[in-house]
Amino acid sequence: AQAGSAQSAFNVGVMYERGFVVERDSTRAIEWYRKAVDANLAMAKHNLALLLRDGRGAARNGKEAVELLRSATRQGMAASMFTLGDIYERGDAAPKDPATALAWFAMTAEFERQMNNGAETPLAKTAVQRSQALQRVLTPTELEKAQQFGQAEFRQIVEALQPPTPPAAPEPAPAAPPQTEAAAPAETEAEPEWPKT
């Protein structure tokens, strides 16, 4: 970790946070998590956000916790999506917003399903249960807000997870196509969409 390994810095943070091999020390855990966050490690962002949300090892900082969680979601951290749903449902580190909570829970469930080949993980199952509970109490306007927010966020997450496209090589001059039957238009790859259900 001292030589610059982000994964090792994260591991040392976990050791201090949980008291494995070393004395439990949330302040030291935060120091090591920050080193891993500086190297853009998603799991470190998630764990640091939880400590800041709860005010363990540092002053409580809901705003930074939410920012770290949102950044981790862009790297595919489903647990961060779920935590954002929990934060907005409870209103503990950000203002209470049940519609936004519903959107994050729905995104968690869908992302987990897609990442696990359709399998129902415990996290997805819990997210679905929390979503269903919120759907029963939200107004149509709030449900529409959740839908719009969820679609926009889900699209941003999917876009952030796309591998970078290499720069295009210069194209040679096109040759005249042979005079044959009209070719069928090439199929374009469909973008992932927000689930219809």
Side-chain angles (χ1 to χ4, degrees):
Q2 290 172 340
S5 165
Q7 184 62 51
S8 295
F10 169 76
N11 293 344
V12 172
V14 170
M15 292 171 75
Y16 276 112
E17 182 182 1
R18 305 218 174 128
F20 295 148
V21 184
V22 294
E23 189 85 19
R24 183 178 287 198
D25 186 338
S26 295
T27 302
R28 298 286 310 271
I30 285 176
E31 292 170 14
W32 286 103
Y33 285 150
R34 285 201 187 279
K35 290 177 185 190
V37 166
D38 289 344
N40 205 31
L41 194 65
M43 189 59 146
K45 293 175 186 179
H46 179 82
N47 284 17
L48 177 57
L50 297 181
L51 290 173
L52 295 174
R53 177 195 66 184
D54 298 337
R56 291 186 304 147
R60 192 166 196 263
N61 189 337
K63 182 179 182 213
E64 185 179 2
V66 168
E67 289 170 3
L68 285 164
L69 290 167
R70 285 185 70 128
S71 179
T73 68
R74 299 297 190 272
Q75 293 175 268
M77 284 292 301
S80 294
M81 296 173 200
F82 184 87
T83 302
L84 284 166
D86 188 61
I87 284 172
Y88 284 107
E89 183 178 24
R90 296 175 192 272
D92 65 352
K96 191 171 189 170
D97 186 341
T100 300
L102 170 60
W104 281 113
F105 288 138
M107 283 185 276
T108 303
E110 182 59 26
F111 192 81
E112 275 287 284
R113 275 191 220 101
Q114 288 187 21
M115 295 304 294
N116 292 285
N117 299 321
E120 188 81 16
T121 65
L123 182 60
K125 187 175 182 177
T126 303
V128 166
Q129 291 168 347
R130 302 275 295 267
S131 295
Q132 290 170 342
L134 284 168
Q135 287 173 1
R136 289 192 289 271
V137 297
L138 294 181
T139 66
T141 303
E142 290 171 319
L143 291 170
E144 178 64 25
K145 176 187 173 190
Q147 179 79 9
Q148 290 174 354
F149 177 81
Q151 286 176 343
E153 283 293 320
F154 196 75
R155 192 173 299 114
Q156 288 179 22
I157 291 167
V158 170
E159 287 171 6
L161 292 173
Q162 296 299 315
T165 53
E171 301 231 358
Q179 297 294 339
T180 60
E181 293 181 33
E187 288 188 32
T188 58
E189 188 174 312
E191 288 187 23
E193 293 183 9
W194 182 251
K196 302 285 187 250
T197 59

